Amino acid sequence: MQVHLYDSAAQVGQAAAILIGAQLISKPNAVLGLATGSSPIPTYQELIRMHRAGVVDFSSAVSFNLDEYCRLPESHPCSYHDFMHQQLFAHVNFAQGNTHVPNGNAADLAAECARYDQAIAKAGGIDLQLLGIGHNGHIGFNEPSDQFVYGCHVVKLTQSTIEANRRFFDSEADVPREAISLGIGSIMNAKRVVLLATGYDKAEVVRRSIREDIDPATQASILRTHPNVIILLDRAAASKL
Ligand code: F6R
């Protein structure tokens, strides 16, 4: 596990974009695992800049997002479909049909989870998985538990995640209570994992994930057993290490 420290969230984003850009240069048809939330926004901004500068080309790349809320229309401004469109997909040149986000509106959510895992396997697995981390240690929406769940699955969001994500919605009541998430197995099968954490509010969970026992109560702690994980932190997020 490598841990790199930066002075600002913008620099964390630049470092992550360099890693993703290098991945696309060395393997133009790379399979990228993508995340939503505040943490990757500077990364996506930098990737857009690199793309506009002619340095990074997404035309052969494939992406799979980590998660999506259940029963929220794709066109809703808080859906992860919409987030990815606004923050990245509308500004770079992925080929149509090469970007994937779980369908949280599928009639049969269990079948959708199985289909999503199969689609990743059929694409050859994820080359680089970008991750943020929740205040409770979740990666994707793998919430604190007494076990690690291997495959894509439907998750009941914890109260802490509902409260954390409430900032994007009109009210807490509007935050969906369920989501589809890649499982820990799918994340751990990625050839490389890049985890971003910025801000003082992530310092405690970063410390727990890196310094304490591997424990499904802090799902991100499992990443320490991954052979190729790079953690990019700003000084605030690293302040309790
Ligand atoms: C997002 C995701 C979540 C977030 C986490 C941190 O696709 O899977 O695990 O990465 O909740 O969110 P932010 O970056 O908003 O603090």
Side-chain angles (χ1 to χ4, degrees), residues 139-168:
I139 47 177
F141 273 135
N142 293 281
E143 297 284 46
S145 170
D146 54 4
Q147 57 180 339
F148 295 106
V149 177
Y150 189 87
C152 186
H153 58 293
V154 176
V155 183
K156 281 205 185 323
L157 300 183
T158 59
Q159 188 56 31
S160 106
T161 297
I162 292 166
E163 279 162 23
N165 291 1
R166 183 248 170 278
R167 68 192 193 275
F168 301 110

Side-chain angles (χ1 to χ4, degrees), residues 117 142 148-153 181-189:
D117 271 343
N142 293 281
F148 295 106
V149 177
Y150 189 87
C152 186
H153 58 293
S181 176
L182 275 196
I184 291 294
S186 321
I187 293 171
M188 291 295 285
N189 283 338

Side-chain angles (χ1 to χ4, degrees), residues 9 18 22 24 38-39 54 61 64 69 80-81 84 96 104 112 120 135 162 168 196 200 202 214 221 235 240:
I18 288 169
L24 291 173
S38 306
S39 305
F64 287 90
Y69 292 115
Y80 290 171
H81 279 80
M84 289 309 299
Q96 206 171 4
E112 169 61 8
I120 293 172
H135 297 105
I162 292 166
F168 301 110
L196 317 173
Y200 186 74
K202 296 289 173 69
I214 294 169
S221 62
R235 297 210 177 267
K240 294 194 176 171

Side-chain angles (χ1 to χ4, degrees), residues 90-112:
H91 311 287
V92 297
N93 64 333
F94 277 104
Q96 206 171 4
N98 277 6
T99 60
H100 306 272
V101 180
N103 177 8
N105 290 298
D108 182 342
L109 292 172
E112 169 61 8

Side-chain angles (χ1 to χ4, degrees), residues 170-182:
D170 289 340
S171 75
E172 191 182 304
D174 293 334
V175 184
R177 271 32 187 181
E178 286 188 335
I180 290 184
S181 176
L182 275 196

Side-chain angles (χ1 to χ4, degrees), residues 1-5 133 137 139 195-197 202-215 218-225 229-234 237-241:
M1 182 175 74
Q2 295 181 38
V3 180
H4 296 275
L5 299 191
I133 181 170
I139 47 177
L195 181 137
L196 317 173
K202 296 289 173 69
E204 176 55 23
V205 76
V206 165
R207 186 198 64 75
R208 262 200 342 261
S209 303
I210 294 180
R211 295 274 188 253
E212 288 193 2
D213 290 347
I214 294 169
D215 183 342
T218 306
Q219 295 267 317
S221 62
I222 191 77
L223 295 174
R224 276 151 51 199
T225 66
V229 57
I230 301 181
I231 300 185
L232 306 175
L233 305 174
D234 69 359
S239 60
K240 294 194 176 171
L241 289 180

